[in-house]
């Protein structure tokens, strides 16, 4: 049971000094190999931006550019592909095998399109529920993957409820949802495992340019699944690894509010251009990892994100508002009033290496005509 808050507690920053001493088990070793075997797989770019290093007074800044991941304009295909693979492999070894499976999900765009793409490639069916306000172009892109699309007269939460109802009592259908709740955590866990490929790529790419491990990784956060993957990757190695900073819209900072209270809470969300982060409640699966493994959390405004997106575009990195939130968050943390204390909390100095996750390209952004909830990172 989560408490509901109508506003974000002040301040819009939280730090956990002991996060880098916390450890957890790693993701399965075969996740990266699975992705590497997919048609069209290639590591997404890790682009160094020296001008941002000068601005932020650090050694090096890199941006992980997820504007084209397995042919889709966001990182979501990593989680969806691994979860679908695990689901179908499990069914093949059980009495449920036989005939195509219908993969069911709710989405504001990127996750649903990724599930539909995997269904089409693997000869399965897909049924995708989309809430009201989803941009027609996003709905059309899902339908173009040969998925059945059901438009829901309600918000994202209502779409999730209808998707779950569609699977209940139907042996040939399975829910592939990217958020967890009590009793539904195994498949969301596989989705999180799929996201860890992104961080394995970063390790290899940094090593190739002599950068070593990052000192700070900034992660845009919705319900916290991608941040859980970051914690899993970096906290499953010896203590002293990267500091992890989560970044949310100030109008939907459910993770920050929960960390401040040290218990899961729900915040009443507002309208934000960072639609994929417009989530008021942390995933039940992600919460323990966020509570124990994040070094800090910060909230940013739409104006902060828009400025960051414009600056990244000028530097050759196409990023939508959600992806640009990581740069906005690092700017808010490392500059301005109180920056010295925040830099100390993150152990960031003049020689530090920063990695910013840009989780979507510009083509991924115009999913919603109006905002309610969203695909969750």
């Amino acid at each position: 049971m989560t408490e509901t808050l109508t506003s974000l507690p002040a301040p819009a920053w939280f730090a956990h000094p002991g996060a880098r001493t916390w450890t957890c088990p790693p993701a399965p070793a075969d996740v990266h190999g699975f992705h590497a075997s997919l048609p069209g797989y290639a590591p997404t770019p890790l682009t160094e931006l020296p001008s941002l290093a000068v601005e932020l007074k650090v050694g090096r800044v890199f941006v992980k550019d997820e504007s084209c991941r397995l042919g889709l304009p966001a990182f979501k295909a990593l989680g969806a592909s691994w979860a679908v693979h695990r689901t179908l492999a499990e069914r093949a070894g059980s009495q449920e095998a036989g005939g195509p499976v219908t993969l069911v999900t709710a989405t504001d765009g990127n996750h649903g399109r990724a599930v539909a793409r995997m269904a089409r490639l693997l000869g399965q069916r897909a049924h995708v529920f989309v809430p009201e306000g989803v941009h027609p172009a996003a709905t059309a892109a899902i339908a173009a993957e040969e998925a059945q699309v059901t438009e829901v007269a309600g918000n994202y939460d209502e779409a999730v409820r209808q998707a779950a109802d569609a699977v209940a009592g139907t042996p040939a259908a399975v829910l592939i949802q990217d958020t967890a709740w009590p009793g539904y955590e195994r498949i969301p866990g596989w989705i999180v495992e799929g996201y860890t490929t992104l961080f394995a790529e970063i390790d290899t790419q940094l090593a190739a340019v002599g950068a070593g491990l990052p000192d700070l990784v900034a992660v845009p956060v919705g319900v916290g699944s991608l941040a859980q993957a970051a914690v899993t990757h970096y906290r499953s190695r010896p203590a002293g690894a990267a500091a992890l900073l989560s970044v949310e819209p100030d109008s939907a900072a459910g993770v920050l509010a929960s960390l401040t209270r040290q218990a899961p809470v729900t915040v009443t969300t507002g309208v934000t251009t960072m639609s994929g982060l417009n989530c008021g409640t942390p995933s039940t699966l992600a919460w323990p990892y966020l509570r124990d493994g994040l070094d800090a959390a910060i909230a940013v405004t739409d104006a902060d994100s828009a400025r960051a997106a414009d600056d990244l575009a000028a530097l050759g990195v196409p990023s939508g508002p959600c992806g640009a939130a990581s740069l906005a968050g690092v700017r808010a943390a490392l500059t301005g009033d109180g920056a010295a204390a925040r830099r100390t909390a993150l152990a960031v100095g003049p020689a530090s290496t920063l990695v910013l996750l840009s989780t979507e390209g510009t083509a991924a952004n115009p999913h919603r005509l109006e905002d309610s909830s969203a695909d969750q990172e």
Side-chain angles (χ1 to χ4, degrees):
M1 183 69 69
T2 59
E3 178 185 359
T4 299
L5 302 179
T6 57
S7 62
L8 177 68
W13 160 264
F14 175 87
H16 175 203
R20 267 159 283 173
T21 65
W22 185 75
T23 60
C24 64
D30 54 344
V31 178
H32 190 191
F34 162 76
H35 285 129
S37 72
L38 294 176
Y41 169 80
T44 53
L46 185 70
T47 304
E48 185 167 10
L49 299 176
S51 63
L52 290 183
V54 172
E55 175 193 340
L56 298 169
K57 299 180 180 178
V58 297
R60 305 179 78 171
V61 174
F62 296 85
V63 175
K64 183 64 167 166
D65 177 5
E66 292 291 309
S67 60
C68 185
R69 171 64 77 175
L70 292 169
L72 299 176
F75 74 102
K76 292 288 185 175
L78 290 174
S81 60
W82 178 248
V84 170
H85 165 72
R86 289 294 307 270
T87 297
L88 296 181
E90 184 176 82
R91 290 177 68 91
S94 74
Q95 295 180 350
E96 294 175 311
V101 175
T102 300
L103 307 175
V104 181
T105 195
T107 188
D108 269 343
N110 291 322
H111 172 71
R113 186 176 175 189
V115 171
R117 171 72 60 89
M118 288 304 299
R120 179 171 62 81
L121 291 176
L122 296 173
Q124 310 299 323
R125 294 186 288 258
H127 186 182
V128 181
F129 290 76
V130 296
E132 62 186 0
V134 171
H135 197 284
T139 302
I142 296 168
E145 301 290 349
E146 301 177 9
Q148 176 185 351
V149 176
T150 296
E151 298 186 43
V152 174
N155 63 12
Y156 176 85
D157 292 337
E158 176 60 25
V160 171
R161 283 191 288 271
Q162 291 194 24
D165 287 345
V167 170
T170 307
V174 60
L175 185 67
I176 308 291
Q177 200 57 55
D178 56 344
T179 188
W181 54 85
Y184 182 75
E185 294 184 331
R186 187 170 57 155
I187 288 175
W190 289 339
I191 289 173
V192 170
E193 290 175 358
Y195 294 157
T196 60
T197 285
L198 187 157
F199 302 101
E201 291 176 357
I202 290 172
D203 287 349
T204 301
Q205 291 167 319
L206 288 176
V209 296
L213 296 177
D215 297 295
L216 172 66
V217 178
V219 188
V221 170
V223 299
S225 296
L226 181 60
Q228 180 188 350
V231 171
T232 298
H233 183 78
Y234 291 106
R235 300 296 178 247
S236 59
R237 54 186 62 198
L244 302 177
L245 172 69
S246 72
V247 185
E248 297 170 281
D250 61 354
S251 59
V255 168
L256 175 56
S258 297
L259 291 170
T260 301
R261 293 290 188 96
Q262 284 294 285
V265 299
T266 294
V267 298
T268 301
T269 60
V271 174
T272 175
T273 56
M274 293 173 274
S275 59
L277 309 180
N278 193 23
C279 310
T281 308
S283 164
T284 59
L285 185 66
W287 167 244
Y289 291 81
L290 308 182
R291 178 195 62 210
D292 296 331
L294 286 177
D295 291 84
I298 199 164
V300 298
T301 68
D302 283 358
D304 295 332
S305 175
R307 177 192 166 210
D310 288 344
D311 291 344
L312 289 172
L315 295 170
V317 178
S319 184
C322 293
S326 58
L327 173 55
V330 166
R331 280 173 164 165
L334 302 185
T335 65
D337 292 343
R342 293 190 294 270
R343 293 175 80 96
T344 297
L346 294 168
V348 169
S352 295
T353 295
L354 277 55
V355 173
L356 316 180
L357 304 188
S358 178
T359 51
E360 63 173 17
T362 52
N365 178 51
H367 287 320
R368 298 190 65 78
L369 300 174
E370 59 185 72
D371 255 288
S372 55
S373 189
D375 268 5
Q376 298 144 348
E377 295 173 8

